[in-house]
Amino acid sequence: MNVAILVRVSSKGDRQDTERQINDLTKIANEKKWNIVKVIKAKVSATKTRINNRKDIAEIYDLANAKKIDKVLVTEITRIGRKAKEIRDTIEDLRDKNVGVFIQTLHIDTLLQDDGTQSELQKKMSEMAVNIILTILGELAEVEALRLSNRILSGLETAKKNGVILGRPEGSKLKNNDFIKKHSKVVRKLNEGKMSIREIAKICEVSPFTVQKAKKILKAVQNI
């Protein structure tokens, strides 16, 4: 089984890296005795960049078209994209090329290899179940990102009207609303209130300083 590892972070700076994703997926590949053909890394925002313009996805397609891979490994569905339709279309395109996608956090393989024990009906049912799950999760992720962004932006606007001076996060070139949009995953984890700043920084692949900035903005908004 020949596989490609696809890892992505949204920051183009040095505060995010792909090491954790690569380590996790390499461990899975070794356990399953899959041959890693290539590790493809990307530092690009999947929200701001259309999937058709992403070099990492184009590279995956090149490998698939050349029949050099049987599967693509990602840590989570958002490494492929942030928009439900783009995620679904990419997975279906790869499936048409007989290439599956293994999603670590969901423990889902979009194209199970035929071992001769499944009927055509069983294979179709499995594919349908995966499609339904991915479609629902993709739509929910997109709606949640939009809902959270709108709520935070609304809070910032209210703070401004009430005379609260927030300004830009200290040491950042981003305005508060752009900062919140960029680090929406950090904001979600802070709202859940289940992790420390260092834990959130690690799972979101940002610096603890970034988490502290997001927390400061949220606190100002929530205290309105």
Side-chain angles (χ1 to χ4, degrees):
M1 177 76 68
N2 292 322
V3 304
I5 287 177
L6 174 64
V7 295
R8 181 186 66 78
V9 291
S10 59
S11 172
K12 292 184 179 180
D14 295 327
R15 288 178 296 175
Q16 288 184 314
D17 63 62
T18 54
E19 184 178 351
R20 180 186 62 81
Q21 294 179 52
I22 293 172
N23 289 341
D24 288 351
L25 295 174
T26 298
K27 182 179 178 181
I28 290 171
N30 290 339
E31 288 173 351
K32 294 182 178 291
K33 301 189 185 311
W34 290 341
N35 177 46
I36 301 172
V37 173
K38 194 164 190 178
V39 175
I40 300 173
K41 305 183 216 179
K43 287 193 175 184
V44 59
S45 169
T47 303
K48 298 178 181 178
T49 307
R50 292 186 62 84
I51 205 163
N52 292 337
N53 297 327
R54 283 174 49 190
K55 293 181 181 180
D56 55 328
I57 298 298
E59 199 168 348
I60 288 293
Y61 278 130
D62 287 343
L63 291 172
N65 289 331
K67 300 187 183 304
K68 292 183 178 179
I69 57 172
D70 305 296
K71 203 174 298 295
V72 179
L73 312 186
V74 295
T75 54
E76 56 185 87
I77 196 170
T78 54
R79 299 308 92 193
I80 300 172
R82 288 285 183 181
K83 294 180 173 60
K85 186 178 186 304
E86 288 185 345
I87 295 170
R88 187 170 58 250
D89 288 349
T90 301
I91 288 174
E92 288 179 354
D93 286 345
L94 289 172
R95 183 183 289 157
D96 289 342
K97 301 176 191 299
N98 205 34
V99 174
V101 177
F102 177 85
I103 305 167
Q104 179 192 0
T105 54
L106 300 176
H107 300 286
I108 283 180
D109 199 324
T110 64
L111 183 64
L112 296 175
Q113 297 302 308
D114 187 3
D115 60 2
T117 62
Q118 284 189 317
S119 67
E120 283 300 316
L121 177 59
Q122 287 174 318
K123 285 189 285 186
K124 286 294 181 184
M125 291 292 286
S126 295
E127 288 180 8
M128 286 176 60
V130 169
N131 284 341
I132 290 170
I133 292 170
L134 293 179
T135 297
I136 291 173
L137 289 173
E139 294 286 354
L140 286 175
E142 190 171 332
V143 169
E144 173 61 16
L146 180 61
R147 183 194 69 78
L148 183 59
S149 176
N150 287 339
R151 182 165 64 83
I152 297 300
L153 293 179
S154 175
L156 290 171
E157 184 63 28
T158 302
K160 184 178 178 180
K161 289 179 179 178
N162 289 349
V164 178
I165 300 175
L166 294 171
R168 295 179 181 179
E170 186 179 351
S172 172
K173 294 181 180 179
L174 292 175
K175 293 181 180 179
N176 280 302
N177 54 354
D178 293 329
F179 184 85
I180 290 299
K181 284 181 179 179
K182 180 178 179 180
H183 299 293
S184 58
K185 186 174 180 180
V186 173
V187 174
R188 286 199 300 272
K189 295 297 181 184
L190 284 169
N191 279 332
E192 289 173 3
K194 298 178 181 178
M195 296 182 179
S196 68
I197 287 177
R198 290 194 175 277
E199 288 173 332
I200 293 174
K202 183 176 180 180
I203 198 169
C204 295
E205 297 180 318
V206 299
S207 70
F209 191 47
T210 296
V211 182
Q212 288 172 337
K213 289 180 184 178
K215 186 175 182 179
K216 182 178 179 181
I217 297 173
L218 282 177
K219 185 176 181 182
V221 171
Q222 291 166 353
N223 286 338
I224 297 169

